[in-house]
Amino acid sequence: MSSRRSAKVAQAILECVSSTILLELKDPRVKNVTVTGAEVSADLRSAKIKVSILGDEKTQALTLRGLESSRGFLQAKVAERLETRYTPILKFVLDQGVKLSIETSAILRDLNLQPLTEEAHDASDESNVSDNDEEPDTVLDSTSLPASPVDKPPPAPDGEVGPPP
């Protein structure tokens, strides 16, 4: 089976499951869920739905149980949308990508907020000060640079050569 068809089916499942969770699912355990991806098997009989759940691990486990219990309802909605011979069996997997990116950005933010040491602060002050009277060490000559296609004028209409009159 073509990978293009698998990708289209995966995209359709992702859209159907995410909209059904958002708009139609009434289970109180399922909240703060984002569907981040979907993968289908080559025979289109099973699908792995990647979800990101905000909250602590207890909330995540409770939400995953809620998704598993509403799997039949979600599969019925997918069957209505896909109209294939077999409806894929959905399996929900917790996607840690969003959680890891939040943790990484928090670490980077903490690194940027830490005060500079006095040596690093002095070095950064010295590098910012420059005299305008000094000439730069290297001077680029326009003849040494290769001509780019952007510098060439566009061709004249009707095959004429030269600037327009």
Side-chain angles (χ1 to χ4, degrees):
M1 189 149 323
S2 73
S3 61
R4 181 176 179 201
R5 180 172 180 187
S6 296
K8 288 176 81 172
V9 169
Q11 183 65 29
I13 290 173
L14 181 127
E15 291 171 3
C16 180
V17 169
S18 62
S19 66
T20 303
I21 288 173
L22 181 64
L23 301 174
E24 299 177 34
L25 201 59
K26 303 290 187 218
D27 193 338
R29 296 176 289 183
V30 180
K31 54 187 173 186
N32 297 329
V33 176
T34 304
V35 180
T36 59
E39 297 175 1
V40 293
S41 63
D43 61 357
L44 303 179
R45 289 189 181 212
S46 64
K48 187 187 301 183
I49 309 297
K50 296 179 182 178
V51 293
S52 173
I53 304 168
L54 294 179
D56 59 348
E57 291 185 18
K58 183 179 176 184
T59 305
Q60 291 175 350
L62 184 67
T63 304
L64 276 176
R65 278 193 298 245
L67 286 171
E68 286 296 326
S69 70
S70 61
R71 181 175 66 185
F73 175 72
L74 293 169
Q75 280 181 200
K77 293 294 183 179
V78 168
E80 289 175 10
R81 168 81 189 268
L82 288 183
E83 298 176 358
T84 57
R85 179 176 291 186
Y86 300 105
T87 302
I89 296 173
L90 303 179
K91 180 181 178 187
F92 294 96
V93 178
L94 189 62
D95 186 11
Q96 297 290 340
V98 175
K99 181 180 177 184
L100 293 176
S101 67
I102 290 171
E103 290 175 0
T104 304
S105 64
I107 290 171
L108 291 173
R109 192 177 323 110
D110 290 343
L111 288 175
N112 287 336
L113 293 178
Q114 290 179 352
L116 295 172
T117 61
E118 296 212 8
E119 295 170 1
H121 187 65
D122 292 339
S124 67
D125 285 345
E126 291 174 6
S127 65
N128 290 337
V129 176
S130 64
D131 292 334
N132 292 336
D133 297 337
E134 293 181 11
E135 291 292 323
D137 293 338
T138 58
V139 177
L140 293 176
D141 186 11
S142 63
T143 58
S144 65
L145 298 175
S148 69
V150 177
D151 295 338
K152 295 179 182 177
D158 299 330
E160 297 176 9
V161 179

